[in-house]
Amino acid sequence: LVNLRKQLEKGQGLLVIRGLPIDTCSIQELEIIYWGLGTHFGVAVSQSVMGDLLGHVIDVTDTDPNARAYRNRQALNLHTDFSDIVSFLCVRKAKSGGLSWFASASAVHNEILRVRPDVLRILYRGFYWHRYEEEKPGESPVTPWRVPVISSQSGNVSCRFIRSYITEATTHDFVDNLSAKEHEALDMFESVAHADGMPIKFMLEPGEAVFINNFTTLHARESFVNHPDLNKRRLLLRLWLTVPNGRPIVPGVQIYGSGRQGGVPPQPGKTPSYARKT
């Protein structure tokens, strides 16, 4: 596990651990096993305003059509989350769909550097982000600073990207609309990341856990169709992990201003939903 953590931090940024005992353990037992496994990679941080340290990736759109991405069944473009490492353990697959995508942010960076270095300057400058009312009480719904899509600290190139959080920020009067060049930069980042041969795609099977370096690897999910039986519906367990003394990063990549810890500030009584975004 120590060697795997080193590979995740300094190597390919993606690993899959297979063979977790899905068939012989209860959900509660799997949570304990998965939590224990996660402690070898980092310290768990809050994944939403609910303060969930061990999240359930489930579709709750029957009760909240505006549920945040990890709680709906829509397709998700390549993006990063808000922690050093993100991990998923597949407990049950969907009836159909739900294929996972992964792409190297470093490879995307290098391809843009090769063909359009002027675009990189815009991505390094960054954009304001909407925080969907998961910011701390009294804080601005939009980051007061520009969050760099690409940044470099002590020779380490890192990525932070969710396009919808960037475009949503411009709905506020105090944030300027994106310029044509900014749209072009975002379009190029996405087109390079989604280009044939850039992402690898595979189905996460029950009993498999994927660990992702959230600064070097983008991830996505295809839409899925659930089983009508509630007990057979798609279920992944999720961890957001911070790595003490981990990768050097610029402060601006922390969307919620949580410092090295990362994650989302817990707020009792709230649920993670896009319904409150304006």
Side-chain angles (χ1 to χ4, degrees), residues 107-230:
V108 175
H109 170 279
N110 291 344
E111 177 61 14
I112 297 174
L113 176 64
R114 185 182 70 84
V115 298
R116 288 289 303 276
D118 58 308
V119 166
L120 269 188
R121 285 193 288 271
I122 297 172
L123 297 174
Y124 268 86
R125 184 182 67 177
F127 303 86
Y128 297 104
W129 281 46
H130 200 295
R131 299 193 280 200
Y132 289 96
E133 285 200 16
E134 291 195 288
E135 68 277 0
K136 295 176 183 176
E139 290 189 338
S140 168
V142 174
T143 58
W145 60 85
R146 288 181 176 269
V147 178
V149 174
I150 302 289
S151 58
S152 180
Q153 185 79 348
S154 304
N156 295 273
V157 174
S158 298
C159 178
R160 195 60 102 220
F161 182 74
I162 306 179
R163 185 161 186 172
S164 61
Y165 281 59
I166 295 169
T167 55
E168 189 65 33
T170 63
T171 63
H172 284 263
D173 293 339
F174 52 86
V175 179
D176 292 335
N177 290 329
L178 298 178
S179 68
K181 287 189 175 295
E182 287 175 322
H183 278 294
E184 180 187 29
L186 293 171
D187 288 344
M188 173 159 279
F189 185 89
E190 286 199 306
S191 65
V192 171
H194 290 84
D196 290 344
M198 183 62 76
I200 60 171
K201 306 173 186 179
F202 58 86
M203 183 65 72
L204 200 61
E205 299 290 339
E208 294 181 344
V210 61
F211 286 80
I212 308 161
N213 185 324
N214 217 21
F215 293 115
T216 67
T217 307
L218 301 145
H219 63 281
R221 178 196 72 206
E222 295 183 4
S223 63
F224 61 87
V225 176
N226 253 325
H227 288 276
D229 185 343
L230 291 176

Side-chain angles (χ1 to χ4, degrees), residues 45-56:
V45 297
S46 171
Q47 302 175 29
S48 76
V49 287
M50 295 189 300
D52 41 351
L53 297 180
L54 198 158
H56 282 205

Side-chain angles (χ1 to χ4, degrees), residues 1-15 17 40-41:
L1 287 172
V2 170
N3 288 333
L4 289 176
R5 173 174 164 172
K6 290 178 180 177
Q7 291 179 35
L8 191 63
E9 289 187 49
K10 303 294 185 181
Q12 69 271 28
L14 171 69
L15 64 90
I17 298 176
H40 291 272
F41 293 90

